[in-house]
């Protein structure tokens, strides 16, 4: 959770992402005629986790173009997908820039958009203080300009109105109950990354940050804590 997305962090969250994604896209596609031929374009594809989810949900498509500015992430896609792709699909690599024409009648799907809500159970005196800085950090430069962070959903609603598009917004939160070793390891990484991300932010009280981190770490190691991270899936399509 630095200013860029690391491969290790993306791989750690795949299982939680898959469990959290709503059915809004699948439900919409199921309403379309079976005669529709679907091509997928996945922007900011990372290591290809969305495509793997789509395959697990039996979303059938003719072609899928995976686009990302991070070459290191793109290089891991082939090995990740070989175990998921059916024999009828082949993989072709192209590291050159592509000219893509996106028409207005396409479905636009924004998956797991962070909505600014992070809830720890039990709560901590400094949760709101930390969350304020965390939300500001989420709107910082992630390697391709300043991110929208929790304001992305509001921005998409406005865009949909201006373009006269239908919009569907569904909840897709991480709900991590800390019942397994995998949950504990993931939450430890999430907690550590928050601390690292905020430590050098202007205006942060480092004593509060240290105290908050140590309290959370203690509760986590003693299985006393659960985590809710708010996300929304957003679907835009022609009226």
């Amino acid at each position: 959770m630095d200013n860029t997305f690391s491969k290790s962090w993306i791989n750690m969250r795949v299982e939680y992402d898959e469990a959290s994604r709503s059915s809004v896209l699948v439900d919409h596609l199921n309403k379309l005629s079976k005669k529709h031929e679907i091509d997928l374009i996945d922007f900011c594809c990372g290591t290809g986790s969305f495509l793997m989810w789509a395959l697990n949900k039996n979303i059938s498509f003719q072609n899928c173009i995976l686009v990302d500015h991070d070459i290191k992430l793109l290089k891991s896609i082939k090995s990740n997908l070989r175990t998921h792709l059916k024999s009828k699909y082949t993989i072709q690599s192209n590291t050159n820039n592509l000219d893509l024409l996106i028409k207005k009648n396409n479905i636009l799907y924004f998956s797991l958009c962070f909505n600014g809500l992070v809830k720890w159970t039990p709560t901590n005196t400094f949760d709101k203080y930390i969350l304020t800085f965390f939300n500001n950090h989420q709107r910082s430069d992630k390697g391709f300009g300043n991110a929208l962070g929790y304001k992305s959903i509001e921005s998409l609603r406005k865009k949909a109105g201006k373009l006269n598009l239908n919009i569907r917004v569904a909840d897709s939160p991480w709900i991590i109950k800390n019942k397994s070793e995998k949950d504990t390891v993931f939450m430890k990484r999430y907690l550590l990354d928050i601390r690292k991300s905020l430590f050098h932010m202007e205006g942060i009280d480092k004593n509060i940050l240290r105290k908050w981190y140590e309290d959370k770490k203690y509760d986590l190691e003693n299985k006393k804590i659960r985590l809710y991270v708010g996300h929304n899936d957003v679907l835009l399509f022609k009226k």
Side-chain angles (χ1 to χ4, degrees):
M1 204 174 304
D2 204 320
N3 277 350
T4 58
F5 297 99
S6 70
K7 180 181 174 181
S8 62
W9 169 244
I10 291 175
N11 287 339
M12 283 187 75
R13 59 176 285 175
V14 166
E15 183 177 327
Y16 298 96
D17 287 349
E18 288 194 353
S20 299
R21 282 192 182 94
S22 70
S23 64
V24 65
L25 176 63
V26 176
D27 291 346
H28 184 78
L29 292 178
N30 285 339
K31 293 177 182 177
L32 297 178
S33 167
K34 297 298 182 182
K35 294 180 182 179
H36 277 73
E37 295 179 347
I38 297 174
D39 289 330
L40 299 179
I41 303 176
D42 184 3
F43 291 104
C44 301
C45 64
T47 58
S49 59
F50 170 74
L51 177 55
M52 290 184 279
W53 173 84
L55 290 167
N56 289 335
K57 292 296 181 181
N58 295 314
I59 295 177
S60 182
F61 54 88
Q62 282 199 314
N63 301 290
C64 182
I65 300 174
L66 305 176
V67 182
D68 203 290
H69 76 296
D70 192 324
I71 298 298
K72 291 180 180 179
L73 297 180
L74 288 174
K75 286 181 177 179
S76 66
I77 287 178
K78 280 191 175 182
S79 59
N80 286 349
L81 293 181
R82 281 195 181 100
T83 56
H84 290 78
L85 287 175
K86 299 175 183 177
S87 58
K88 65 178 179 179
Y89 296 114
T90 58
I91 305 173
Q92 293 181 334
S93 300
N94 186 344
T95 56
N96 297 321
N97 293 327
L98 297 175
D99 293 324
L100 299 174
L101 178 62
I102 310 300
K103 298 180 180 178
K104 281 292 196 301
N105 60 349
N106 281 278
I107 299 167
L108 299 178
Y109 173 65
F110 300 85
S111 178
L112 298 167
C113 300
F114 177 62
N115 63 20
L117 297 177
V118 178
K119 299 177 183 177
W120 299 88
T121 305
T123 59
N124 180 288
T125 304
F126 301 118
D127 282 349
K128 289 184 178 179
Y129 177 85
I130 296 298
L131 182 57
T132 298
F133 278 91
F134 180 68
N135 277 332
N136 288 335
H137 178 270
Q138 291 300 92
R139 301 188 66 208
S140 62
D141 190 339
K142 302 297 180 182
F144 42 83
N146 288 341
L148 286 171
Y150 69 94
K151 292 193 174 183
S152 62
I153 297 102
E154 177 188 352
S155 177
L156 289 171
R157 288 187 187 276
K158 290 179 179 178
K159 286 287 186 182
K162 289 180 180 178
L163 296 173
N164 196 32
L165 297 174
N166 283 315
I167 182 169
R168 299 284 184 271
V169 180
D171 291 333
S172 52
W174 288 340
I175 301 175
I176 306 175
K177 298 180 179 180
N178 196 17
K179 289 186 174 181
S180 67
E181 182 63 25
K182 184 176 288 186
D183 285 352
T184 303
V185 170
F186 182 79
M187 291 171 72
K188 281 183 178 179
R189 171 65 184 269
Y190 185 72
L191 191 62
L192 178 62
D193 281 358
I194 291 176
R195 181 183 181 276
K196 289 167 61 178
S197 298
L198 303 190
F199 192 78
H200 295 293
M201 282 191 71
E202 183 178 352
I204 189 79
D205 187 319
K206 293 183 179 179
N207 291 325
I208 290 178
L209 178 60
R210 289 190 187 98
K211 172 64 175 170
W212 177 85
Y213 174 76
E214 292 300 329
D215 287 349
K216 292 294 183 193
K217 187 178 177 182
Y218 174 83
D219 287 344
L220 180 58
E221 290 172 347
N222 288 278
K223 300 289 183 179
K224 295 180 179 180
I225 199 166
R226 291 176 293 166
L227 174 63
Y228 174 102
V229 180
H231 299 112
N232 293 116
D233 293 340
V234 183
L235 191 72
L236 299 176
F237 55 97
K238 191 176 181 180
K239 291 184 178 180

